[in-house]
């Protein structure tokens, strides 16, 4: 009996296992099935009836519960099947493991039986040893078979070449191709050559080869039955084989077939040691073909770069552009070709050495020579700077190639390649550094620069020398004059030389301060300033020298450094020492000598020139002791000679400087003496002047004022010429001399009671003037003796007597009483009884 209610929707497990199953759609389908069709589209007037929905969802829940039970049952069955399968899998693994262990045991037993050494022939383990013995016998038999076949083929080839004048069998092997066949051909050809030398000596003894037979074959009569020149036939075949291999090598090189190239190279090693294949590889390299024309191009470059290169005060621009470009390209090419050489040649070290040799000795060397020749036409300094920059840049190239490793990249470069690179670098610069060639160029460059810079200086002093009177001292100084004249003449001759280029002449003229080289000697104008020392110029000279020393250390490698720096030291002492400093000191000395006999107030304008001379001397000594002499420490003999030459030069300059100072003191003393000589006697014996004592208003006597003014000017001039201890020593020595002159001076004048005041004023002024100078501390208090001497004229008899009693412990300490008597005798009242008492006490 059917139900009065509508059946719910039917569904199975496949409904939920579908990929398109959506819960929302499933619920909506249940809801739609619960609503009768007649109610879906009718007017919604009746009230909502939930019963159909309830029945539908109850039916669905009941169906879902049933499906859940079915699913649970199936899951339990599957879990049971899985457990049974796992048990069976475990059993299978155990069974396979046992079989594997049995197999390993069997293999080990077999291996032991094959490798064991039997105790006797009946041993059960001798099977393996017998197998090894059998293998060795078979290999030996195979080698014998191959040797027999080779001997048979060699005999066949010899019969062909000796009896028929052909090598057809060997030709067939050669034409078949393949690396092994060509190797075999090369070996057999070499063996045939040895057989020919022993069995056919006639073909080797013929100077021009055998004659030719009627059919054109090369013939000889070496031994009985031999009618062909086997030596020439074998050599001809070898040449053909070599050409064929070279052609194949070139073909494979263009196709970058490195393995085939290696086979050809290996065979060609038997022909002249592989020289032909190495020559082919190197000579036909694209780098040398492309660079062959570029290397011969003229050196261009902008004029400014060459000017900077020749300017000693400018920083050099570095390596020449075309040479730099070549070296940069060499670096890339060598690194790339090293990879090819390593793969293409079994004897790659030899090939790399030949390639490097060609690169350095042809490409780099030719361009380097052109650059240096061009630089040499610019100036000697330009040549040296170009040499230094080129050496530095090429040395960097070598270091980069070593770092790269070349054929051993990325590992360390081989010792053979390392030696080759060092050797090629040294060979490039040997022509410029061998013997004394380099240091001679360096000296020549510095001499040109020094003579240019000092030209006006030497010209000024050479003219000055001509104006000096011929005296005994001038005769002694003639050697200095001759040195200046020779330096000047050498410079003028150098300017007139055709060896100098226009640029080099312009640079030398600029350094000398000249307008043009055609200017005549007598037309060159020089001023007083040209004859004065310049510390700035001295620094330039030392800077040029330091550049040369640094360049020498970089280029020479230190082998000849002691001798080189010794030569540069002598150059420095000759130019800066003798020509520059000593000439200026001689000029100052000559000026001092002329002022010594001057009838007017002496002109000490020469004296300030002493300071730059001392400063330059100090700079030169510092340079010598910190730069030059330490570099000669490896050669004791050279260093000792350098020390000796330096000490002699310094002693000579110091003596000349001291002579100038002493002459200046003498000039000052002479003039002070002349001023004291014109002192009026009435200055210290003034008469009663009508209208009052005008002399009382005078601060000092005119002579005292003039001497004080002159000494003040002298001291001011001295401060511009000297400083430190030198100034103190000069001031002290001059003050001692002035004090002595004054003490003697006041012994000559009669002093009356009125004049004694002028004496004390003069003495006080002298003391103040001298005390204002930088004097030795031990001497300065002794100046007060002048004031005390003045007091001897002022004090009355009793006071004077008391003062003289205390002379031993006062300011007059150290002065003998008898030495004071002349001053007291010059008092106008010296004849009185009271003064006689004082004098008798002395």
């Amino acid at each position: 009996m059917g139900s009065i209610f509508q059946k719910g929707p039917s569904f199975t497990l496949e409904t939920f296992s579908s990929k398109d199953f959506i819960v929302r759609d499933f619920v909506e389908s249940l809801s739609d099935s619960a609503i009768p069709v007649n109610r879906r589209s009718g007017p919604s007037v009746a009230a909502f009836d939930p019963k159909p929905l309830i029945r539908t969802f109850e039916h669905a829940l009941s169906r879902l519960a049933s499906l859940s039970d079915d699913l649970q049952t199936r899951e339990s069955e599957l879990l049971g099947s899985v457990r049974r399968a796992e048990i069976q899998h475990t059993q299978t693994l155990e069974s396979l493991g046992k079989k594997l262990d049995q197999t390993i045991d069997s293999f080990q037993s077999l291996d032991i039986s094959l490798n064991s050494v039997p105790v006797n022939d009946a041993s059960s383990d001798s099977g393996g040893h017998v197998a090894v013995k059998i293998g060795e016998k078979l290999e030996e038999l195979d080698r014998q078979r191959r040797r027999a076949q080779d001997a048979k083929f060699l005999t066949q080839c010899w019969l062909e070449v000796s009896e028929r004048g052909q090598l057809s069998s060997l030709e067939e092997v050669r034409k078949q191709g393949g690396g092994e066949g060509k190797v075999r051909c090369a070996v057999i050809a070499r063996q045939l050559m040895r057989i020919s030398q022993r069995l056919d000596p006639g073909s080797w003894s013929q100077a021009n080869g055998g004659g030719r037979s009627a059919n054109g074959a090369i013939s000889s009569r070496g031994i009985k039955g031999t009618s062909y020149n086997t030596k020439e036939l074998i050599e001809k075949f070898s040449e053909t084989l070599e050409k064929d291999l070279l052609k194949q090598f070139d073909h494979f090189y263009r196709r970058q077939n490195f393995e085939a190239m290696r086979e050809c190279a290996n065979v060609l090693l038997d022909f002249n040691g592989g020289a032909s294949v190495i020559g082919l590889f190197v000579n036909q390299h694209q780098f040398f073909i492309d660079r062959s024309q570029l290397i011969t191009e003229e050196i261009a470059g902008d004029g400014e770069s060459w000017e900077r290169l020749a300017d000693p005060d400018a920083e050099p621009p570095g390596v020449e552009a075309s040479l730099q470009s070549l070296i940069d390209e060499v670096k890339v090419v060598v690194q790339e070709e090293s990879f090819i050489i390593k793969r293409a040649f079994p004897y790659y070290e030899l090939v790399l050495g030949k390639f490097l040799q060609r690169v350095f000795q042809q490409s780099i060397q030719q361009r380097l020579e052109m650059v240096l020749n061009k630089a040499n036409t610019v100036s000697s300094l330009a040549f040296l700077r170009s040499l230094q920059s080129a050496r530095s840049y090429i040395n960097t190239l070598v270091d980069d190639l070593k770092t790269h490793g070349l054929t051993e990249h990325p590992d360390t470069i081989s010792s053979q390649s390392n030696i080759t690179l060092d050797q090629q670098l040294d060979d490039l610069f040997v022509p410029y550094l061998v013997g004394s060639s380099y240091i001679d160029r360096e000296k020549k460059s510095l001499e040109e620069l020094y003579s240019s810079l000092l030209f006006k200086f030497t010209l000024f002093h050479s003219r000055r020398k001509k104006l000096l009177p011929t005296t005994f001292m001038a005769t002694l100084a003639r050697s200095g004059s001759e040195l200046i004249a020779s330096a000047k003449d050498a410079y003028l001759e150098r300017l007139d030389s055709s060896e100098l280029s226009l640029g080099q002449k312009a640079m030398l003229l600029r350094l000398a301060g000249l307008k043009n080289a055609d200017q005549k000697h007598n037309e060159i104008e020089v001023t007083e300033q040209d004859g004065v020392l310049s510390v700035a110029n001295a620094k330039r000279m030392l800077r040029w020298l330091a550049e040369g020393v640094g360049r020498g250390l970089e280029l020479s490698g230190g082998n000849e450094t002691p001798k080189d720096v010794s030569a540069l030291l002598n150059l420095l002492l000759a130019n800066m020492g003798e020509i520059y400093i000593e000439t200026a000191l001689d000029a100052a000395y000559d000026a001092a000598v002329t002022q010594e006999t001057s009838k007017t107030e002496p002109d000490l304008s020469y004296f300030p020139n002493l300071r730059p001379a001392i400063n330059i001397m100090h700079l030169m000594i510092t340079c010598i002791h910190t730069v030059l002499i330490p570099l000669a420490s490896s050669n004791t003999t050279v260093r000792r000679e350098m020390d000796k030459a330096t000490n002699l030069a310094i002693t000579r300059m110091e003596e000349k400087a001291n002579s100038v100072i002493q002459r200046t003191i003498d000039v000052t003393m002479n003039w002070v003496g002349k001023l004291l000589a014109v002192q009026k006697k009435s200055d210290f014996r003034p008469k009663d002047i009508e209208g009052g004592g005008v002399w009382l208003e005078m601060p000092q006597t005119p002579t005292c004022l003039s001497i004080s003014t002159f000494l003040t000017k002298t001291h001011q001039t001295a401060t511009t010429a000297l400083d430190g201890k030198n100034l103190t020593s000069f001031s002290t020595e001059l003050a001692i001399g002035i004090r002595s002159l004054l003490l003697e001076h006041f012994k000559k004048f009669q002093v009356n009671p009125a004049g004694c005041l002028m004496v004390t004023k003069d003495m006080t002024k002298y003391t103040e003037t001298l005390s204002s100078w930088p004097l030795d501390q031990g001497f300065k208090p002794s100046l007060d003796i002048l004031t005390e001497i003045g007091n001897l004229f002022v004090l009355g008899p009793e006071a004077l007597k008391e003062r003289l009693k205390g002379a031993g412990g006062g300011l007059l300490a150290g002065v003998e009483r008898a030495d004071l008597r002349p001053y007291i005798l010059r008092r106008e009242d010296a004849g009185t009884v009271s003064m006689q008492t004082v004098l008798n006490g002395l």
Side-chain angles (χ1 to χ4, degrees):
M1 182 175 179
S3 175
I4 62 174
F5 303 107
Q6 185 180 2
K7 293 182 179 180
S10 62
F11 48 84
T12 63
L13 289 174
E14 285 72 12
T15 303
F16 300 100
S17 62
S18 174
K19 294 181 180 181
D20 298 331
F21 175 77
I22 301 176
V23 176
R24 181 178 178 182
D25 294 344
F26 175 71
V27 175
E28 287 181 355
S29 65
L30 292 177
S31 302
D32 292 341
S33 65
I35 301 173
V37 179
N38 55 358
R39 293 185 181 181
R40 294 178 188 175
S41 58
S44 57
V45 178
F48 173 70
D49 185 9
K51 292 179 180 180
L53 292 173
I54 294 173
R55 286 193 295 271
T56 300
F57 284 112
E58 286 178 348
H59 180 270
L61 290 173
S62 176
R63 179 60 180 161
L64 287 173
S66 176
L67 291 176
S68 177
D69 293 339
D70 293 341
L71 186 61
Q72 187 68 32
T73 301
R74 292 179 62 183
E75 183 179 1
S76 299
E77 293 176 354
L78 292 173
L79 288 174
S81 299
V82 169
R83 284 194 295 271
R84 289 192 296 273
E86 288 178 349
I87 293 171
Q88 186 178 359
H89 176 69
T90 302
Q91 293 174 352
T92 303
L93 289 177
E94 291 177 356
S95 177
L96 293 175
K98 292 178 180 179
K99 292 181 179 181
L100 179 61
D101 292 339
Q102 293 174 358
T103 303
I104 293 173
D105 293 339
S106 299
F107 175 79
Q108 289 178 348
S109 300
L110 178 61
D111 183 61
I112 292 172
S113 65
L114 290 174
N115 296 325
S116 62
V117 180
V119 178
N120 51 57
D121 294 341
S123 175
S124 60
D125 294 333
S126 62
H129 183 70
V130 171
V132 172
K133 286 291 186 180
I134 292 173
E136 293 176 352
K137 290 289 185 181
L138 290 175
E139 290 177 358
E140 180 65 24
L141 290 173
D142 183 61
R143 285 194 294 269
Q144 292 178 0
R145 182 184 63 84
R146 286 199 301 269
R147 284 198 297 269
Q149 290 177 345
D150 292 340
K152 177 183 176 182
F153 186 74
L154 179 63
T155 305
Q156 179 183 347
C157 292
W158 170 250
L159 292 175
E160 289 179 353
V161 71
S162 61
E163 295 179 359
R164 291 182 291 178
Q166 298 177 358
L167 285 169
S168 55
S169 300
L170 206 56
E171 283 286 350
E172 290 178 3
V173 177
R174 181 182 67 84
K175 292 178 180 180
Q176 286 177 0
E180 293 183 359
K182 289 183 174 55
V183 170
R184 188 182 180 194
C185 285
V187 172
I188 292 175
R190 189 168 63 251
Q191 291 173 340
L192 286 174
M193 190 66 72
R194 287 198 292 266
I195 294 174
S196 172
Q197 189 174 8
R198 294 184 62 183
L199 299 182
D200 188 14
S203 63
W204 289 76
S205 62
Q206 296 175 4
N208 299 321
R212 290 187 177 271
S213 61
N215 59 0
I218 302 174
S219 63
S220 68
R221 298 295 176 185
I223 60 175
K224 184 178 180 181
T226 302
S227 59
Y228 299 95
N229 191 326
T230 57
K231 177 177 180 290
E232 291 191 10
L233 287 170
I234 298 170
E235 287 179 345
K236 184 178 180 181
F237 174 79
S238 299
E239 291 176 2
T240 304
L241 178 61
E242 183 179 9
K243 291 179 181 178
D244 186 26
L245 288 170
L246 290 174
K247 188 180 297 183
Q248 287 189 13
F249 181 87
D250 185 57
H251 173 74
F252 293 140
Y253 175 65
R254 300 184 188 281
R255 292 177 175 271
Q256 296 291 293
N257 188 344
F258 300 121
E259 292 299 326
M261 290 172 64
R262 192 179 186 89
E263 290 182 0
C264 293
N266 195 28
V267 177
L268 288 166
L269 181 62
D270 292 326
F271 298 97
N272 54 48
S276 57
V277 68
I278 295 175
L280 175 68
F281 176 79
V282 173
N283 296 332
Q284 295 188 5
H285 197 281
Q286 194 64 34
F287 170 76
F288 301 109
I289 297 174
D290 295 340
R291 278 283 176 179
S292 60
Q293 295 181 349
L294 295 177
I295 290 175
T296 58
E297 288 183 356
E298 292 295 329
I299 302 295
D302 58 317
E304 182 180 355
S305 297
W306 291 110
E307 288 180 3
R308 287 175 56 198
L309 202 62
D311 187 354
D313 297 317
E315 287 294 327
V319 68
E320 196 270 333
S322 63
L323 180 60
Q324 180 180 2
S325 173
L326 173 63
I327 295 172
D328 292 341
E329 186 176 354
V330 164
K331 176 182 176 181
V332 176
V333 169
V334 172
Q335 291 177 354
E336 292 177 349
E337 289 305 311
S338 298
F339 173 75
I340 297 175
I341 292 173
K342 177 68 177 292
R343 297 186 61 185
F345 290 91
Y347 39 93
Y348 54 85
E349 288 283 357
L350 177 62
V351 180
L352 178 63
K354 296 293 184 181
F355 186 76
L356 291 173
Q357 184 177 359
R358 176 72 181 274
V359 168
F360 277 84
Q361 294 184 4
Q362 180 174 320
S363 301
I364 296 180
Q365 183 174 359
Q366 290 181 7
R367 197 61 183 176
L368 176 64
E369 289 176 354
M370 296 183 66
V371 171
L372 294 180
N373 289 337
K374 170 66 176 178
N376 197 35
T377 61
V378 176
S379 73
S380 300
L381 179 61
F383 176 89
L384 292 170
R385 284 180 166 180
S386 297
L387 183 67
Q388 179 187 14
S389 61
R391 173 63 183 263
S392 176
Y393 205 77
I394 297 175
N395 189 62
T396 302
L397 166 68
V398 171
D399 291 341
D400 290 341
L401 294 179
K402 290 180 180 179
T403 304
H404 178 267
L406 299 183
T407 54
E408 307 302 323
H409 179 77
D411 297 329
T412 306
I413 191 171
S414 65
S415 59
Q416 182 62 37
S417 299
N418 188 68
I419 294 173
T420 301
L421 286 171
D422 291 338
Q423 184 64 41
Q424 294 303 318
L425 176 63
D426 293 338
D427 291 345
L428 276 179
F429 295 93
V430 162
Y432 312 107
L433 304 177
V434 65
S436 61
S437 58
Y438 166 73
I439 194 61
D440 290 342
R441 286 182 179 272
E442 197 72 63
K443 287 171 59 180
K444 177 183 176 183
S445 173
L446 287 173
E447 286 173 351
E448 288 177 353
L449 297 177
Y450 286 171
S451 59
S452 298
L453 185 64
L454 303 181
F455 174 70
K456 282 194 172 182
F457 178 85
T458 56
L459 180 61
F460 173 85
H461 287 285
S462 64
R463 293 178 179 176
R464 179 188 61 80
K465 289 282 186 180
K466 294 179 180 179
L467 300 178
L468 290 177
T470 304
T471 61
F472 175 72
M473 293 303 295
T475 303
L476 293 178
R478 184 175 300 170
S479 60
S481 303
E482 293 175 353
L483 183 63
I484 296 173
S486 62
K488 173 179 62 65
D489 295 339
Y491 177 75
L492 293 175
E493 291 177 2
R494 181 67 176 160
L495 284 180
D496 295 337
S497 173
S498 59
E499 297 178 0
L500 294 182
S501 63
L502 295 177
Q504 190 170 0
K505 286 184 179 180
M507 179 57 64
L508 295 179
L509 290 172
R510 184 183 66 81
L511 287 176
L514 302 179
K515 296 180 179 179
N516 56 73
D518 298 330
Q519 196 172 1
K520 295 182 179 180
H521 173 204
N522 296 330
E523 296 177 354
I524 300 176
E525 295 183 359
V526 291
T527 62
E528 290 286 339
Q529 193 61 32
D530 293 326
V532 176
L533 293 177
S534 170
V535 177
N537 284 344
K539 290 181 179 179
R540 292 171 69 187
M541 296 172 70
L542 294 176
R543 187 166 58 249
W544 299 342
L545 178 73
E547 179 184 340
V549 172
R551 183 165 46 242
L553 290 176
E554 182 177 346
L555 292 176
S556 66
N559 297 329
E560 299 295 329
T561 298
K563 294 182 180 179
D564 291 349
V565 295
S566 177
L568 295 179
L569 172 66
N570 294 332
L571 180 68
L572 180 66
L573 293 177
N575 286 271
M576 182 175 287
E578 294 184 44
I579 296 179
Y580 203 41
I581 299 177
E582 291 188 28
T583 299
L585 292 176
D586 290 339
Y589 182 83
D590 294 339
V593 170
T594 59
Q595 295 301 317
E596 196 171 7
T597 57
S598 176
K599 296 181 179 180
T600 59
E601 182 177 321
D603 181 10
L604 302 181
S605 59
Y606 66 88
F607 199 38
N609 295 331
L610 200 60
R611 171 164 287 190
I614 295 174
N615 291 339
I616 295 173
M617 192 189 313
H618 177 72
L619 290 174
M620 185 181 70
I621 295 172
T622 302
C623 176
I624 291 173
H625 287 291
T626 59
V627 178
L628 298 180
I629 292 182
L631 293 176
S633 57
S634 60
N635 192 321
T636 307
T637 303
V638 174
R639 182 185 176 113
R640 190 181 299 113
E641 292 176 353
M642 292 176 66
D643 283 327
K644 182 178 179 181
T646 302
N647 293 334
L648 288 175
I650 294 173
T651 301
R652 189 170 59 250
M653 287 183 283
E654 288 179 345
E655 288 177 352
K656 290 189 176 184
N658 291 334
S659 297
V660 173
I661 295 174
Q662 189 58 52
R663 280 292 182 178
T664 303
I665 293 174
D666 295 341
V667 168
T668 305
M669 295 284 292
N670 289 342
W671 184 248
V672 171
K674 290 180 180 181
L675 292 178
L676 290 175
V678 298
Q679 178 98 51
K680 296 180 180 179
K681 294 183 178 181
S682 59
D683 288 343
F684 305 119
R685 293 187 65 187
K687 299 179 180 180
D688 293 337
I689 301 174
E690 297 180 0
V694 178
W695 57 273
L696 291 175
E697 299 178 2
M698 296 175 59
Q700 293 89 23
T701 62
T703 299
C704 178
L705 288 175
S706 60
I707 291 175
S708 178
T709 302
F710 173 68
L711 291 178
T712 302
K713 289 170 59 178
T714 301
H715 177 257
Q716 291 175 351
T717 303
T719 56
T720 62
L722 303 170
D723 58 1
K725 292 183 178 179
N726 291 331
L727 180 60
T728 301
S729 299
F730 171 82
S731 301
T732 302
E733 187 172 351
L734 181 59
I736 291 173
I738 298 298
R739 187 189 64 174
S740 299
L741 288 177
L742 293 175
L743 291 177
E744 290 297 324
H745 177 70
F746 282 97
K747 292 179 181 179
K748 303 175 183 178
F749 291 89
Q750 194 79 23
V751 180
N752 61 15
C756 65
L757 294 177
M758 296 306 298
V759 171
T760 55
K761 289 181 179 180
D762 282 3
M763 286 296 195
T764 302
K765 183 63 176 178
Y766 290 136
T767 303
E768 290 176 355
T769 300
L770 297 178
S771 297
S772 64
W773 296 355
L775 305 173
D776 287 340
Q777 294 301 319
F779 168 75
K780 199 168 187 177
S782 65
L783 289 177
D784 292 334
I785 190 67
L786 296 176
T787 306
E788 288 299 319
I789 294 298
N791 291 334
L792 294 179
F793 297 98
V794 176
L795 297 175
E798 293 300 326
L800 181 60
K801 187 176 181 180
E802 293 297 325
R803 176 64 62 88
L804 292 177
K805 286 182 180 180
L811 293 175
L812 296 177
V815 180
E816 294 292 336
R817 291 189 177 186
D819 294 337
L820 301 178
R821 185 180 181 88
Y823 301 105
I824 299 175
L825 288 174
R826 305 311 297 176
R827 290 176 56 136
E828 193 176 52
D829 58 350
T832 61
V833 175
S834 56
M835 288 303 299
Q836 285 298 318
T837 303
V838 174
L839 290 173
N840 292 333
L842 297 177

